Structure formats: structure tokens, C-alpha cells
């Protein structure tokens, strides 16, 4: 009804008592529907109920549990169904524990002369064997045929209900079959789950749309227990295939080998169903260990969160506490990681995270991959940037109601570029924006079209992060369209203004003492977390903190080689300024840090770099001490006193450590 009214341009408020729409689905799979409803102008009120209605003059008012009073022209109650069994009760027939008419597998009631079929009967769930009420047309029709067979002497048996269903919500479809995670958890049954985000057909062929697919399976034998999928296209095909596999008793290993029709307009050489089979089988075979969104909310003491997305993708949002190390740099920067920690790795959808975990595992590190990546994490925790529209209902029925846009349209800017990012997944659309916006001038705008369902939240977060303006956002024909206005770079006064403190901090790191370098990076990370820009200038002994533990050959003379040999090589080799005791004191401090869950120096350096700290090595000190650029961590800049002073003058905090 919401969709039908919305298509007629009638403003709709949808009030839902639970935290999600589409109650049979798991919450993270329903999350894209919330965004879709909001993008189509629906005022979505989750976790609220209607306590009463009242009429006042010519309007009807709904009184909500939140204390609000909503004016409306029409109220529709769609609060669920229950079987109409009064006739059966009057006839003395048995009623099941779920309130439906009790029947055997031939559709006979407790009176063998009376048969019952359809929504009023109680069936057995195909996966859990529990009593269930499943009001679906497909099962009802098959039950009618079975009842007729048995009435006329043919022995026909109904083989339980697995609840295969699909629903259209504007430009999205959500489908499901078998048991949900909610059901299995409620019954205390063992299960494992994986998520994949794949394209409806070959992504290079026009109009490929992303499908988010959740597969639930037995954690020991891999038997398929259920599946849910959401996307603009191709959901029905995938759910029907998995529904057939579930009915046949197949496992996730069998999904790997299903031979499904393929041509670029219709599918991919690795269909999303195959893809789900690959991922689930990898888990069961032990090729990769996985974690889920809730595991990253409160990591254990020995766990660290590692973001392996490309640098440009982090603007779309990050998981709190994560360190950033792009997959492309992982092999070269393994020395920055600790084998005493377990890394919870994530990317956008899970693929890069899987590759990162394979690299880490093969190099002796402990790790788990976040199944479904940041896309599923955001849906699981209800993180969305889609702003719900709140249209006002007009009481004059002669006036035509107009649906408001979920994002206000700003003054039109000159659109210089049109970008087609349809079919691109992972960070593709955001990376395209980042690349193209650098080619236009402030005051000009670009317009981008994408099919990635996460794009709606990504583009808002990216604009907030970079300071550009999201001038317009809309959804139509299963695509998302955004217009982004390029803004001037934020001006920074060379003298701190009395109107407010400067957000630039400069830290000179002169010492190579472990405790002093720790202090420098603790302060730097704190400043970065508070939104400051941080420049760290390393000079003389402080340069040792930036040295790689292992570096390639560098051209050095004898004195430079001897200097390098005598100095500590990297953060893990620094000594305490007091009570070092040949390294015993340092190990005691590191042990206490580990017990107190304090990040290591290597992790603090990594975190500062991921958060945008600029690390500058004094070129004069490098020359005097014979330290070459290739010996320093990747990304460290070389600079002189002028660079340091220029940064110091622009900020209002300058520390010498």
C-alpha cells in the first residue's frame, strides 16, 4: 500500500512497531528497504506504534507512542493476519499450537472426512520441523491439489513448507527461503552465515545491479538452511535456485558446482549463487576465518581492526578504532603488524578482506575477515545516511499532494561532468567522484549515476568528509543520481583567529626514546580524533622511529653504514629513556601496555598515518646521519626548516618532544 500510494504522489507515513520493516527478514537484510522507502519520500517511523485515533474538524489524527500527533486523510491498518478457524472450532476439529487447523500430511483434519488447506492450516517448517503458519499462495495451491488427490483415492503427501517468498519495494526486491537467522537463534539451533555482494549480470554489460545475498548453513556439514537476497534485479532467480537446492538437501559445496545459465545480459560466469557457495565452502574448509559486524563493536583485548580498502574509499565511512592499510601495500608493510594480535580485517564487500586474510595467514598472522565487508556492517548496525522525508499532509482534498524529495534541492550549479558509474561496486563510484572532481573548478558540479545500494550513504559521508556539497540526490529507474558541487578548499589563516582555535598541530620529534615517541603519537592521534590536521617533523634521533625494520639495499659510504648499524631500526627497536635495563624495562612496559589494552607504538604510528597525519623527515638530519629515503616508511615526506616553520605558523599548538 505504501508503494501504491507513493506512486500516486500521495505522501505516506509508515509507522512500524518493530525496529525494521519486512518482519520475516533478518534486520540487516531489511536495512536497504528502509533507505529505499526514505528515498521515495516515505516518512518511516520505526519503533513506534499508533495508540489511538481522533477526529478533529475535517482531519484525522494518529496519536503515536512517541507522543507525536500525525494528521492524515486516510489510516490503513496492516498489522498482520491470523487464521480464521471459527468454523473448524465449531465443528470440533483440533487446533494446533500456533492457532491453525491441525492437519496430517494428506491435508486431513482430526476428522478424516474433513480436509483443510491454505492459510488457515498449521504446517511443519521444512528446515526446523516446528509448527508454522505460512500464508503463501504457492503452498496453498499445492495443498489443494494434494487434498483433491486424497479425496479421490490417490495417495499424495504434502512435504512441509519452506517459506519461499519475494516482495517488491519500489525499485528493490527482497526474497527469502528457508530459515532466517532470527528463527534459528530463537530455537537455539547451530548455524553459520556469510554475505556476498555480487552483480545481477556481468558488470561490463549495461544495467548490472548489485545483489546482496545472505546464506545460512550448518556449521559442520554445510547443509543449506536458508537464504535472503535484496537488490533491484535478479533476486527472484537466485532465491529460486537456492530454494530448489534447499528442497533437494544440497550443501554449500554443491552450490559451487551448480551449472547455471550464463550470457553477459543474464548472469555472470560466477553466478552470485556459485559465489555464495565459494565463500561458505572457504569458511568450512578453513581457508579463511570470518567475523561479523557485532564482533567489531567490542573487539577483544588482543584484537585490532584493519581496513584494507583503497585510500580514496575511506571517505565513505570507517569502523571506529580501525587502522587503515590498503591491500596493495599490505605485503610491503607486514613489519608494521604484530603477530601477538588478531586482526579483524574488512573492506567494502569482503573480497579484498579475504585476499588480505590469505596474505596475513600465509605470513604467520592471526586474522578474521568481516563477511560482507563494510556494506554489511553498516546495514547490521543500522547505519544509513538516507534522510527520510517528512511530507506535510494537506487537508484540502481538492489540492494535489506533492511528494517531497528526501534531500532538499539546492540552487542549481553548472554541471560540467556526467559520470556513469552504474555496475561499479566496492568503492568504484566514490573513487570515480574523487578522480573526476579534481578535474573541475570550485563552483562547478558533476553528476553521477550509480546502482550500488550503498552509494546513497557513501556519497553523503564522502561529501561531509571532504567538504564538498551534495546539491541533489534522487532515485529513479533502479538507479541513484547525485549532483556534487565542488567547494573551495577550506581557507586557513596564518595567524590563529580570536574567533576560535586553529585546527592545525605541529609536533617536532627529536628523541628516539620509546616513551617519548609514544607520547608524541598518543598526542597526535588524540588531535586527529578531534578533527585537527597534524604534521610531525622528525629530526636527528627521532628519525629512527620512521625507519623500516627491513629495507632494500641503499647506497652508503662506510661512515653512514656504521651509523645505521649503531642506531635503532624502527619503532620496535627503540629503548626506554629511563630504566631500560638492557631491554628488560622496555619488555615490562610493553607487557603492562598489552595487559591494559594500550595500543603498541607500531599501531599508534599506523593509526596516525591512516587518519591523515603528515610525517616529515628532516632532510638535513637525514644527510648528516646517512639515512636514505628508501630506509624510511613509505609515504614519509622529506622537508626542511622552511616546511616546518610554515606548518608551525599556521597552527596554534607546536610541541617539541
Amino acid at each position: 500500500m505504501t508503494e501504491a500510494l507513493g506512486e500516486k504522489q500521495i505522501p505516506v507515513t509508515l509507522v512500524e512497531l518493530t525496529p525494521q520493516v519486512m518482519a520475516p527478514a533478518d534486520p540487516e537484510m531489511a536495512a536497504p528497504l528502509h533507505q529505499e522507502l526514505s528515498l521515495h519520500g516515505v516518512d518511516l517511523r520505526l519503533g513506534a506504534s499508533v495508540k489511538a485515533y481522533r477526529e478533529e474538524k475535517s482531519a484525522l489524527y494518529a496519536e503515536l507512542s512517541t507522543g507525536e500527533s500525525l494528521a492524515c486523510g486516510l489510516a490503513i491498518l496492516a498489522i498482520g493476519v491470523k487464521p480464521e478457524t471459527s468454523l473448524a472450532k465449531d465443528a470440533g476439529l483440533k487446533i494446533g499450537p500456533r492457532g491453525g487447523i491441525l492437519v496430517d500430511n494428506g491435508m486431513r483434519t482430526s476428522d478424516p472426512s474433513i480436509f483443510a488447506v491454505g492459510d488457515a492450516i498449521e504446517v511443519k517448517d521444512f528446515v526446523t520441523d516446528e509448527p508454522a503458519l505460512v500464508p503463501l499462495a504457492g503452498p496453498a495451491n499445492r495443498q489443494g491439489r494434494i487434498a483433491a488427490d486424497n479425496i479421490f483415492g490417490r495417495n499424495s503427501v504434502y512435504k512441509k513448507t519452506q517459506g519461499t517468498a519475494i516482495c517488491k519495494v519500489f525499485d528493490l526486491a527482497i526474497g527469502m527461503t528457508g530459515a532466517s537467522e532470527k528463527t534459528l537463534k530463537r530455537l537455539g539451533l547451530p548455524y553459520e552465515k556469510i554475505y556476498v555482494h555480487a552483480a545481477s549480470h556481468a558488470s561490463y554489460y549495461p544495467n548490472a545491479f548489485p545483489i546482496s545475498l545472505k546464506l545460512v548453513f550448518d556449521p559442520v556439514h554445510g547443509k543449506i538452511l536458508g537464504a535472503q537476497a535484496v537488490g533491484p534485479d535478479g533476486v527472484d532467480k537466485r532465491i529460486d535456485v537456492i530454494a530448489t537446492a534447499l528442497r533437494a538437501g544440497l550443501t554449500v559445496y554443491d552450490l559451487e558446482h551448480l551449472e547455471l545459465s550464463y550470457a553477459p545480459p543474464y548472469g555472470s560466469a560466477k553466478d552470485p549463487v556459485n559465489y555464495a557457495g565459494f565463500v561458505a565452502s572457504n569458511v568450512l574448509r578453513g581457508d579463511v576465518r570470518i567475523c561479523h559486524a557485532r564482533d567489531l563493536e567490542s573487539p577483544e583485548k588482543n584484537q585490532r581492526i584493519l581496513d584494507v580498502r583503497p585510500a580514496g574509499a575511506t571517505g565513505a565511512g570507517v569502523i571506529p578504532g580501525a587502522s587503515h592499510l590498503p591491500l596493495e601495500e599490505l605485503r610491503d608493510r607486514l613489519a608494521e603488524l604484530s603477530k601477538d594480535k588478531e586482526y579483524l580485517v574488512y573492506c567494502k564487500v569482503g573480497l579484498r578482506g579475504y585476499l588480505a586474510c590469505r596474505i596475513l595467514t600465509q605470513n604467520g598472522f592471526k586474522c578474521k575477515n568481516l563477511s560482507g565487508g563494510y556494506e554489511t556492517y553498516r546495514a547490521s548496525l543500522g547505519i544509513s545516511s538516507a534522510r527520510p522525508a517528512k511530507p506535510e499532509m494537506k487537508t484540502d482534498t481538492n489540492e494535489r499532494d506533492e511528494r517531497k524529495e528526501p534531500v532538499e534541492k539546492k540552487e542549481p550549479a553548472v554541471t560540467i561532468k556526467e559520470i556513469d558509474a552504474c555496475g561499479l561496486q566496492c568503492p568504484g563510484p566514490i573513487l570515480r567522484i574523487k578522480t573526476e572532481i579534481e578535474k573541475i573548478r570550485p563552483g562547478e558540479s558533476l553528476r553521477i549515476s550509480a546502482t550500488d545500494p550503498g552509494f546513497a550513504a557513501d556519497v553523503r559521508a564522502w561529501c561531509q568528509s571532504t567538504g564538498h556539497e551534495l546539491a541533489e540526490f534522487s532515485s529513479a529507474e533502479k538507479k541513484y543520481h547525485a549532483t556534487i558541487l565542488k567547494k573551495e578548499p577550506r581557507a586557513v589563516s596564518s595567524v590563529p583567529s580570536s574567533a576560535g582555535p586553529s585546527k592545525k598541530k605541529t609536533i617536532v620529534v627529536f628523541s628516539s626514546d620509546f616513551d617519548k615517541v609514544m607520547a608524541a603519537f598518543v598526542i597526535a592521534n588524540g588531535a586527529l580524533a578531534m578533527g585537527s590536521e597534524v604534521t610531525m617533523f622528525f629530526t636527528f634521533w627521532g628519525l629512527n622511529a620512521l625507519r623500516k625494520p627491513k629495507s632494500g639495499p641503499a647506497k652508503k659510504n662506510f661512515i653512514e653504514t656504521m651509523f645505521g648499524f649503531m642506531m635503532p631500526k624502527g619503532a620496535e627497536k627503540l629503548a626506554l629513556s629511563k630504566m631500560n635495563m638492557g631491554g628488560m624495562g622496555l619488555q615490562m612496559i610493553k607487557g603492562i601496555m598489552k595487559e591494559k589494552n594500550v595500543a603498541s607504538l607500531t599501531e599508534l604510528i599506523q593509526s596516525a598515518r591512516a587518519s591523515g597525519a603528515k610525517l616529515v623527515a628532516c632532510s638535513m638530519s637525514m644527510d648528516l646521519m646517512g639515512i636514505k629515503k628508501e630506509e624510511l616508511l613509505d609515504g614519509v615526506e622529506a622537508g626542511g626548516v622552511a616546511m616546518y616553520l610554515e606548518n608551525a605558523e599556521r597552527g596554534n599548538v607546536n610541541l617539541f618532544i
Side-chain angles (χ1 to χ4, degrees), residues 517-526 536 538 545-546 601 604-605 608 615:
V517 176
M518 272 285 295
F521 276 98
V522 167
I523 294 168
N525 277 285
M536 302 182 74
F538 294 79
L546 298 183
L601 176 55
L604 287 171
I605 294 172
L615 307 186

Side-chain angles (χ1 to χ4, degrees), residues 112-407:
S113 299
I114 301 175
F115 290 73
V117 302
D119 297 354
I121 70 166
E122 200 163 286
V123 296
K124 284 294 185 76
D125 184 279
F126 184 79
V127 175
T128 66
D129 205 37
E130 292 287 315
L133 295 172
V134 186
L136 292 172
N141 276 268
R142 293 195 302 279
Q143 291 157 9
R145 180 183 176 91
I146 288 166
D149 279 348
N150 285 301
I151 287 169
F152 287 96
R154 176 181 291 167
N155 184 29
S156 286
V157 174
Y158 184 67
K159 299 180 179 180
K160 305 179 184 178
T161 299
Q162 65 192 76
T164 305
I166 192 166
C167 183
K168 178 179 180 292
V169 183
F170 290 102
D171 290 331
L172 287 183
I174 182 168
M176 60 200 73
T177 189
S180 66
E181 181 182 3
K182 287 191 294 189
T183 298
L184 295 170
K185 190 176 288 185
R186 175 174 55 82
L187 297 174
L189 298 175
Y191 68 91
E192 183 55 280
K193 60 182 177 178
I194 59 95
Y195 302 86
V196 297
H197 303 277
S200 57
H201 62 241
S203 57
Y204 55 80
Y205 192 88
N207 293 322
F209 295 99
I211 297 173
S212 296
L213 175 62
K214 177 180 183 176
L215 185 66
V216 187
F217 53 95
D218 181 273
V220 178
H221 305 294
K223 185 177 180 181
I224 300 164
L225 302 177
Q228 297 171 38
V230 61
D233 190 44
V235 167
D236 53 345
K237 172 181 175 180
R238 276 69 192 201
I239 287 297
D240 284 347
V241 169
I242 297 177
T244 305
L246 192 158
R247 174 67 63 170
L250 301 186
T251 68
V252 297
Y253 303 114
D254 295 310
L255 296 186
E256 292 183 290
H257 302 290
L258 290 185
E259 190 171 328
L260 305 173
S261 59
Y262 162 61
Y266 304 106
S268 301
K270 289 189 291 188
D271 191 87
V273 174
N274 299 130
Y275 189 13
F278 296 147
V279 174
S281 299
N282 284 345
V283 172
L284 293 183
R285 292 188 183 109
D287 292 343
V288 66
R289 296 161 66 222
I290 59 172
C291 57
H292 299 292
R294 298 295 174 187
D295 299 324
L296 277 74
E297 277 191 292
S298 303
E300 296 177 6
K301 283 187 176 182
N302 69 321
Q303 292 178 327
R304 295 292 181 269
I305 303 172
L306 193 62
D307 182 345
V308 296
R309 293 175 295 172
T314 57
V318 296
I319 295 177
S323 299
H324 183 233
L325 204 172
L327 175 65
E328 293 79 5
E329 302 175 21
L330 182 58
R331 282 190 174 90
D332 296 329
R333 294 173 58 184
L334 289 174
E336 299 175 27
L337 304 179
S338 169
K339 291 186 178 179
D340 294 332
K341 307 293 183 185
E342 180 178 61
Y343 291 93
L344 307 181
V345 180
Y346 77 94
C347 62
K348 179 69 184 295
V349 297
L351 176 58
R352 293 167 64 91
Y354 166 75
L355 298 174
C357 266
R358 295 296 295 155
I359 293 170
L360 291 170
T361 301
Q362 291 164 4
N363 282 277
F365 293 90
K366 298 186 288 289
C367 66
K368 291 180 180 178
N369 184 30
L370 174 61
S371 184
Y374 186 71
E375 193 76 13
T376 297
Y377 171 87
R378 183 163 53 192
S380 298
L381 301 186
I383 302 169
S384 174
S385 297
R387 288 166 47 193
K390 296 185 179 179
E392 295 177 6
M393 177 64 74
K394 297 175 183 176
T395 55
D396 185 350
T397 55
N398 294 320
E399 292 187 41
R400 183 175 178 271
D401 291 316
E402 294 182 356
R403 185 175 62 192
K404 293 185 179 180
E405 293 292 331
V407 176

Side-chain angles (χ1 to χ4, degrees), residues 595-612:
E595 185 181 333
K596 301 290 186 181
N597 203 24
V598 176
S600 69
L601 176 55
T602 298
E603 290 168 332
L604 287 171
I605 294 172
Q606 187 180 335
S607 175
R609 297 177 72 192
S611 300

Side-chain angles (χ1 to χ4, degrees), residues 303-584:
Q303 292 178 327
R304 295 292 181 269
I305 303 172
L306 193 62
D307 182 345
V308 296
R309 293 175 295 172
T314 57
V318 296
I319 295 177
S323 299
H324 183 233
L325 204 172
L327 175 65
E328 293 79 5
E329 302 175 21
L330 182 58
R331 282 190 174 90
D332 296 329
R333 294 173 58 184
L334 289 174
E336 299 175 27
L337 304 179
S338 169
K339 291 186 178 179
D340 294 332
K341 307 293 183 185
E342 180 178 61
Y343 291 93
L344 307 181
V345 180
Y346 77 94
C347 62
K348 179 69 184 295
V349 297
L351 176 58
R352 293 167 64 91
Y354 166 75
L355 298 174
C357 266
R358 295 296 295 155
I359 293 170
L360 291 170
T361 301
Q362 291 164 4
N363 282 277
F365 293 90
K366 298 186 288 289
C367 66
K368 291 180 180 178
N369 184 30
L370 174 61
S371 184
Y374 186 71
E375 193 76 13
T376 297
Y377 171 87
R378 183 163 53 192
S380 298
L381 301 186
I383 302 169
S384 174
S385 297
R387 288 166 47 193
K390 296 185 179 179
E392 295 177 6
M393 177 64 74
K394 297 175 183 176
T395 55
D396 185 350
T397 55
N398 294 320
E399 292 187 41
R400 183 175 178 271
D401 291 316
E402 294 182 356
R403 185 175 62 192
K404 293 185 179 180
E405 293 292 331
V407 176
E408 293 180 17
K409 292 189 176 182
K410 311 290 194 305
E411 284 295 316
V414 180
T415 301
I416 300 298
K417 262 185 189 303
E418 292 275 352
I419 303 171
D420 184 359
C422 295
L424 291 182
Q425 296 182 66
C426 283
I430 293 299
L431 293 180
R432 285 291 304 277
I433 294 173
K434 183 178 183 295
T435 300
E436 298 297 335
I437 206 162
E438 293 173 356
K439 301 176 184 177
I440 65 176
R441 295 175 295 184
E444 297 175 340
S445 66
L446 59 81
R447 182 172 171 79
I448 182 169
S449 300
T451 51
D452 181 359
F455 179 68
D458 286 351
V459 70
R460 286 181 171 85
W462 185 86
C463 287
Q464 289 170 359
S465 172
T466 58
H468 300 300
E469 181 181 330
L470 182 60
E472 181 267 339
F473 190 90
S474 61
S475 171
E477 300 298 321
K478 302 180 181 179
K479 297 179 182 179
Y480 303 103
H481 307 278
T483 301
I484 300 162
L485 176 66
K486 182 170 182 175
K487 306 292 279 188
E488 291 277 2
R490 294 186 181 94
V492 180
S493 171
S494 59
V495 179
S497 167
S498 59
S502 169
K503 300 295 282 183
K504 290 184 179 290
K505 311 288 185 283
T506 308
I507 302 174
V508 180
V509 184
F510 177 82
S511 173
S512 64
D513 293 330
F514 173 84
D515 41 328
K516 295 175 184 176
V517 176
M518 272 285 295
F521 276 98
V522 167
I523 294 168
N525 277 285
L528 289 162
M530 294 173 67
S532 291
E533 293 181 33
V534 174
T535 300
M536 302 182 74
F537 194 79
F538 294 79
T539 183
F540 280 95
W541 312 114
L543 288 171
N544 292 309
L546 298 183
R547 295 178 73 193
K548 293 178 181 174
K550 292 181 181 179
S551 59
K555 269 193 173 184
K556 289 189 172 190
N557 59 35
F558 177 75
I559 297 296
E560 290 172 340
T561 302
M562 290 302 295
F563 237 83
F565 179 75
M566 290 186 291
M567 292 188 299
K569 208 168 188 180
E572 295 300 322
K573 298 294 183 182
L574 305 184
L576 283 175
S577 61
K578 306 285 184 185
M579 299 174 60
N580 190 53
M581 297 181 291
M584 289 178 58

